[in-house]
Amino acid sequence: MKSLNFTSIGLISSCFKEKFGIPRQPGLVTAAKAQLKLDKVFTEESVRELDGFSHVWLQFAFHKTESQGWKPMVRPPRLGGNTKVGVFASRSTFRPNPIGLSVVELESIEIESSRVVLHLKGCDLMDGTPILDIKPYLPYVDAIPEAEAGYAKERPLNKMTVLMSDEIIQACHYASHRLGEDVEVLIRQLLELDPRPSYHENNTNKQRIYSMKLLDFDLRWQYCENNAIKVLSIN
């Protein structure tokens, strides 16, 4: 097998600071923002006319899981985490080559201290993710409405109701003012999708507390009856 070498063209700065809790596909959490700062060798010329495209494809490396190797069969969350499929019939991070592909919204392009910065929305990328390539999204060839999607035929449902006390909502507003992002919407979109591993979904332990690092705070929540999530704290 031929060995190929790649060099990242830039790094992602994202609201997701750890693997747990990241949306399983791009575009599911539209409030999830990120910035891609290109290496200084890629000047403004390298992105000329890119701002005319609303979305871009990003090819990236799964830098936090590549050391764990790959498996010929995996358990995709869409099948409950119990049924195995071939790795090439999944979007698992545990691949022969740890390469991912996401289509994200391109909000704007900024030149910051002579560095090119792409402002992105709808991301499923962890902070520090190395980007390998950028390509413009072309709706007339990249969107195929009649395509078959196997066991993942439909967009995941928003399964959970997110409960926030007045105190939590106020804390979200303070964080939004500090960070310049709508923190309440981001948290609601994330938790509505139920970020638990699939094998936890039938867990009857309602006392278990989950947490994830989001933006510059720790988000903590607990599961309640009737498919509800109670946000406990953001600090």
Side-chain angles (χ1 to χ4, degrees):
M1 295 173 62
K2 184 176 181 179
S3 177
L4 303 173
N5 295 317
F6 294 91
T7 301
S8 68
I9 63 171
L11 297 178
I12 285 288
S13 175
S14 164
C15 59
F16 302 117
K17 307 304 180 181
E18 60 185 6
K19 184 172 178 286
F20 177 64
I22 296 178
R24 295 183 177 119
Q25 302 295 341
L28 295 179
V29 178
T30 57
K33 295 187 177 184
Q35 295 78 45
L36 168 55
K37 180 177 284 190
L38 299 184
D39 189 270
K40 59 184 179 181
V41 70
F42 302 104
T43 63
E44 188 174 358
E45 291 180 341
S46 66
V47 293
R48 185 176 296 169
E49 300 297 336
L50 185 61
D51 58 358
F53 296 87
S54 65
H55 293 72
V56 293
W57 289 103
L58 298 180
Q59 290 175 305
F60 60 92
F62 290 114
H63 65 302
K64 289 297 185 179
T65 58
E66 63 176 316
S67 62
Q68 300 176 47
W70 70 283
K71 303 172 184 177
M73 298 193 74
V74 297
R75 295 182 171 90
R78 287 298 292 270
L79 294 178
N82 297 313
T83 302
K84 286 187 175 182
V85 303
V87 65
F88 297 130
S90 80
R91 297 193 177 190
S92 168
T93 61
F94 304 104
R95 317 191 68 78
N97 293 302
I99 298 172
L101 181 67
S102 289
V103 60
V104 298
E105 183 178 347
L106 176 61
E107 275 197 306
S108 63
I109 300 175
E110 179 185 8
I111 309 302
E112 183 181 285
S113 301
S114 76
R115 298 282 290 273
V116 177
V117 180
L118 276 61
H119 294 269
L120 311 168
K121 281 184 64 177
C123 294
D124 60 343
L125 301 168
M126 185 176 172
D127 193 58
T129 295
I131 299 300
L132 304 177
D133 199 12
I134 306 165
K135 289 184 173 69
Y137 179 88
L138 303 177
Y140 59 89
V141 288
D142 293 337
I144 307 174
E146 66 274 19
E148 292 292 334
Y151 57 82
K153 294 184 183 301
E154 297 177 351
R155 179 188 178 95
L157 297 175
N158 292 350
K159 297 184 288 187
M160 311 301 293
T161 299
V162 179
L163 307 176
M164 292 185 179
S165 66
D166 291 342
E167 181 181 3
I168 293 294
I169 291 175
Q170 189 63 48
C172 287
H173 291 170
Y174 284 137
S176 298
H177 180 73
R178 184 180 75 252
L179 298 168
E181 298 196 32
D182 195 329
V183 172
E184 181 182 350
V185 171
L186 175 60
I187 292 174
R188 288 190 184 278
Q189 289 185 354
L190 276 173
L191 297 186
E192 283 171 353
L193 290 168
D194 192 356
R196 285 179 298 182
S198 298
Y199 56 85
H200 281 200
E201 290 186 14
N202 294 322
N203 187 351
T204 57
N205 180 10
K206 301 297 183 184
Q207 301 306 309
R208 178 167 184 161
I209 294 174
Y210 290 81
S211 67
M212 66 178 289
K213 293 185 181 301
L214 185 65
L215 294 166
D216 66 351
F217 56 80
D218 289 327
L219 170 65
R220 298 170 68 248
W221 70 91
Q222 197 169 36
Y223 289 82
C224 311
E225 301 295 336
N226 302 318
N227 291 329
I229 286 175
K230 180 181 180 181
V231 179
L232 301 177
S233 64
I234 61 162
N235 50 40

